[in-house]
Amino acid sequence: MYNSSNISINEQGHLVFAGQDTVELAKQYGTPAYIMDEERIRERCRIYRSAMEEHFGEGSIPLFASKALSVKRIYEIMAEEGMGIDIVSSGELYTALKAGFDLSKAYFHGNNKTDFDIKYGIENGIGHFVCDNADELRAINEIAGANRIKQHILLRITPGIDPHTLAAINTGKVDSKFGAAIETGQADELVALALSLENIALDGYHCHIGSQIFEYEPFVDAATIMLTFMRDMKVKYGFEAQIMNLGGGMGVKYVNSDPEINYASNIAGIATLCKKICRDLGLNQPKFLLEPGRSIVADSGITLYTVGGVKEIPGFKNYVSIDGGMPDNPRYALYQSRYDAVVANKASLPADYECTLAGRCCESGDLIGEGMMLCKPVRGDTVAVFVTGAYNYAMASHYNRIPKAPIVMVNKNGSYIAVKRETFEDLCKNEI
Ligand SMILES: *Cc1c(COP(=O)(O)O)cnc(C)c1O
């Protein structure tokens, strides 16, 4: 079974998550349900914040990459923990606004901000746009001018490195829909354009090299390229960046065979080398930002399901069907992501039954995982899938007209609903 400090088994042999009996949670809130450990989320924010302040210095803060999980309650927690945020759409901006998040600490990302997005961001006092391309830069300049402000921005730069990770989530290579590459000269041109525009205040640069990166070296490689670029722009245009945003992507242990990451020591390692590179290049040290998404919320979440049929196909596989699947967790269908699971009401029994954990949708690819080891379940058992806090609810759909599952937060005092389960009426609410 997946091991983590917030997971244990009680005397009844039930899985306990963040101090709460998951079988009881399943009874109380129904299934499928996302369960999230509020203390773990807060603890991760604090690790990032204190390590960044200690090693990079004051003003260097983590921004929660809220595409990993964008709901009001998360933005409230981020505000309380002193985090900045990164958002990628007006919908995320709206959600943050509804949660009372101070948008001066928000960075608006994305490779295609519409005119509406730019207006909406500016009217609501967005701190920075992370500008992707020249067309967008001109549009921001124009809309900022119409609003009589000088808009602060970073430029999204493609450092052209491969962080040795999955190609599908590998965004820092030259051939990418994101940003402007240094190698092709387009990054340089974008700096020149930004510096020439009247209503633009260029504060620095951003890069994001990918996701599920377990070592810190790829971040240092990216930082070396980015800081060298910063030096070149200083020499060429006399512009010295104030902010260097190295993006997100620190890995998460999804299954026990993945490495356990010490985020604080990774940050310390990156910071030490960044400071040295700045000294070597004769740069004043900019403020550094990081944008963790997954590593803040992924292992703070589990999903509870109820088992339906158990089907054994002689000579082939065993299928265990659950009452959720790709509508609440499309990551196996998208990336063949690995997950670990347990029968929550039989957590102390041996997991000796190899099976495919299948969702309920009319789609063969709707699986949570193959070759999973569970204690042989029967209809009505509760299954818990681990490490589902990131990119699960955020990617949830209504496929097969299945209402979205609720998010239940647990903490020392008990549990509460952060997001209600959708109703059938919710499914039809926009239909005339
Ligand atoms: C996806 C993304 C992140 C977060 O990545 P994680 O792997 O969740 O940490 C941060 N910044 C940008 C620009 C992204 O696209």
Side-chain angles (χ1 to χ4, degrees):
M1 184 173 89
Y2 183 75
N3 63 57
S4 188
S5 59
N6 59 355
I7 290 168
S8 60
I9 299 170
N10 65 16
E11 306 91 74
Q12 291 109 290
H14 293 178
L15 175 74
V16 174
F17 180 66
Q20 306 291 323
D21 184 321
T22 56
V23 179
E24 293 303 318
L25 289 171
K27 269 192 207 130
Q28 187 178 350
Y29 296 103
T31 60
Y34 303 98
I35 311 293
M36 297 212 69
D37 178 352
E38 182 176 344
E39 295 305 323
R40 169 71 61 95
I41 297 170
R42 291 181 184 277
E43 185 190 308
R44 278 294 158 71
C45 294
R46 288 170 198 167
I47 288 171
Y48 267 95
R49 268 200 70 195
S50 65
M52 287 187 70
E53 185 166 335
E54 181 183 343
H55 301 290
F56 282 114
E58 216 188 300
S60 289
I61 60 161
L63 314 175
F64 173 57
S66 64
K67 72 172 195 249
L69 181 63
S70 176
V71 297
K72 276 165 59 182
R73 184 65 191 133
I74 287 292
Y75 292 111
E76 287 168 5
I77 293 172
M78 293 304 139
E80 286 164 15
E81 295 300 333
M83 300 280 286
I85 54 169
D86 120 20
I87 58 165
V88 296
S89 72
S90 292
E92 288 186 356
L93 190 155
Y94 173 83
T95 311
L97 202 58
K98 281 280 167 183
F101 195 89
D102 172 8
L103 289 175
S104 71
K105 291 176 79 177
Y107 288 70
F108 200 142
H109 274 276
N111 66 307
N112 186 17
K113 300 167 196 75
T114 63
D115 286 355
F116 176 87
D117 291 333
I118 297 168
K119 283 195 191 101
Y120 196 60
I122 287 176
E123 282 163 12
N124 287 295
I126 191 91
H128 287 82
F129 284 103
V130 181
C131 182
D132 185 272
N133 57 69
D135 293 331
E136 186 176 290
L137 190 48
R138 290 191 199 93
I140 296 172
N141 180 59
E142 201 167 298
I143 297 167
N147 283 268
R148 297 193 169 71
I149 63 150
K150 215 172 159 77
Q151 179 61 48
H152 289 264
I153 67 154
L154 304 182
L155 293 176
R156 176 144 186 177
I157 306 297
T158 317
I161 72 159
D162 182 338
H164 319 290
T165 181
L166 297 170
I169 47 174
N170 198 337
T171 49
K173 294 188 296 186
V174 172
D175 180 10
S176 166
K177 74 168 186 172
F178 296 104
I182 296 173
E183 215 172 301
T184 60
Q186 284 158 316
D188 182 333
E189 287 166 21
L190 207 53
V191 173
L193 178 62
L195 293 172
S196 75
L197 296 173
E198 208 178 342
N199 311 312
I200 294 290
L202 176 61
D203 286 344
Y205 309 113
H206 168 275
C207 69
H208 174 71
I209 53 173
S211 272
Q212 272 301 75
I213 303 166
F214 289 103
E215 318 84 40
Y216 70 84
E217 287 80 3
F219 290 99
V220 175
D221 291 350
T224 307
I225 295 168
M226 295 292 287
L227 290 165
T228 305
F229 177 72
M230 174 177 159
R231 193 269 321 268
D232 292 348
M233 295 302 99
K234 181 185 171 188
V235 171
K236 189 162 177 187
Y237 301 111
F239 166 71
E240 189 157 14
Q242 312 286 305
I243 296 177
M244 181 60 79
N245 182 335
L246 297 176
M250 270 197 221
V252 163
K253 186 182 97 169
Y254 276 96
V255 291
N256 286 334
S257 56
D258 285 337
E260 186 106 47
I261 297 200
N262 184 330
Y263 299 102
S265 73
N266 258 6
I267 291 165
I270 298 166
T272 307
L273 287 158
C274 284
K275 287 191 278 195
K276 180 181 181 307
I277 299 164
C278 286
R279 282 195 302 275
D280 292 351
L281 293 172
L283 294 170
N284 292 315
Q285 196 191 307
K287 286 177 188 158
F288 283 88
L289 304 176
L290 292 173
E291 298 175 323
R294 194 186 304 276
S295 54
I296 300 288
V297 290
D299 67 0
S300 301
I302 62 171
T303 309
L304 299 180
Y305 301 102
T306 300
V307 173
V310 178
K311 188 182 293 181
E312 304 191 343
I313 306 177
F316 293 92
K317 281 185 278 184
N318 304 323
Y319 284 86
V320 172
S321 291
I322 49 167
D323 59 350
M326 65 187 285
D328 59 80
N329 183 358
R331 293 189 69 252
Y332 187 83
L334 281 172
Y335 317 114
Q336 277 77 56
S337 310
R338 286 178 310 157
Y339 284 102
D340 193 4
V342 70
V343 179
N345 52 313
K346 298 173 178 167
S348 53
L349 301 180
D352 52 8
Y353 187 71
E354 187 174 340
C355 59
T356 294
L357 196 58
R360 62 176 299 182
C361 287
C362 299
E363 186 76 35
S364 303
D366 170 26
L367 306 175
I368 297 295
E370 293 176 276
M372 297 182 86
M373 297 306 296
L374 296 178
C375 170
K376 187 177 176 181
V378 296
R379 187 175 176 88
D381 280 347
T382 303
V383 164
V385 175
F386 298 104
V387 200
T388 60
Y391 305 107
N392 271 234
Y393 183 83
M395 287 186 163
S397 76
H398 289 129
Y399 186 51
N400 284 188
R401 214 61 165 170
I402 292 169
K404 285 189 191 170
I407 299 180
V408 175
M409 286 276 177
V410 298
N411 59 27
K412 286 187 215 95
N413 306 322
S415 59
Y416 63 93
I417 294 174
V419 180
K420 287 193 286 189
R421 183 182 303 284
E422 281 187 334
T423 62
F424 295 138
E425 296 88 82
D426 291 332
L427 293 175
C428 290
K429 70 175 184 278
N430 296 324
E431 297 176 24
I432 46 172

